[in-house]
């Protein structure tokens, strides 16, 4: 079967063939909370870049009483905010902590999702094994009922033994 990342459609055949590692990879790349947590990290990284830059200059233009024959009144202004007191450095430090927090929150969510995948995977393996054992026990009970019927026909067993064996066989 195709690896989980290749096909978004989940069929019973492909799911049965996946191992734990493939399921973990699928969950890490497709789980909506992990996609969201990664987006928050990207946002924090973008903000970290932005707060470390000087503000853009602003250019103003003003014109009044302008006609075809007269220039009228015109003027311009350039404004630039100058950052002092190591404010950019402090902004970068705050943004770095925000990135760090977002990264830890994403890692925390990865642990939650992978733990849930592992837990469900082993629950399913246990249920499959329990089903196999139940089928094996049923086969043994049916064989026991068959032997009890043969014993009853040969005169060694009773009808009660046969009925009890059939009840146990289900």
């Amino acid at each position: 079967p195709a690896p989980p990342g290749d096909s978004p459609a989940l069929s019973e055949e492909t799911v049965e063939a996946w191992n734990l590692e493939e399921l973990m990879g699928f969950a890490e790349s497709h789980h909506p909370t992990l996609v969201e947590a990664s987006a928050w990290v990207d946002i924090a990284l973008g903000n970290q870049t932005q707060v470390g830059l000087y503000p853009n200059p602003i250019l103003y233009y003003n014109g009044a009483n302008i006609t075809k024959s007269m220039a009228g009144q015109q003027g311009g202004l350039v404004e630039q905010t100058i950052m002092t007191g190591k404010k950019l450095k402090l902004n970068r430090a705050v943004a770095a902590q925000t990135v760090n927090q977002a990264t830890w929150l994403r890692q925390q969510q990865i642990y939650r999702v992978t733990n849930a995948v592992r837990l469900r995977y082993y629950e399913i393996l246990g249920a499959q094994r329990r089903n196999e054992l139940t089928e094996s026990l049923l086969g043994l009970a049916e064989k026991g009922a068959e032997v009890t019927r043969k014993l009853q026909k040969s005169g060694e067993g009773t009808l009660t033994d046969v009925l009890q064996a059939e009840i146990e066989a289900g």
Side-chain angles (χ1 to χ4, degrees), residues 16-17 64 96 102 112 127 132 144 150 155 159 163:
E16 284 182 19
R112 281 188 188 123
E132 291 169 3
K150 287 181 182 178
L159 181 59
L163 293 175

Side-chain angles (χ1 to χ4, degrees), residues 11 15-16 21-22 44 59 68 100 119 133 138 146 157 168:
S11 69
V15 171
E16 284 182 19
E21 184 179 314
E22 291 171 329
L59 176 63
K68 288 184 183 180
N100 193 24
L119 181 65
L133 291 173
L138 179 60
E146 183 181 327
E168 288 177 8

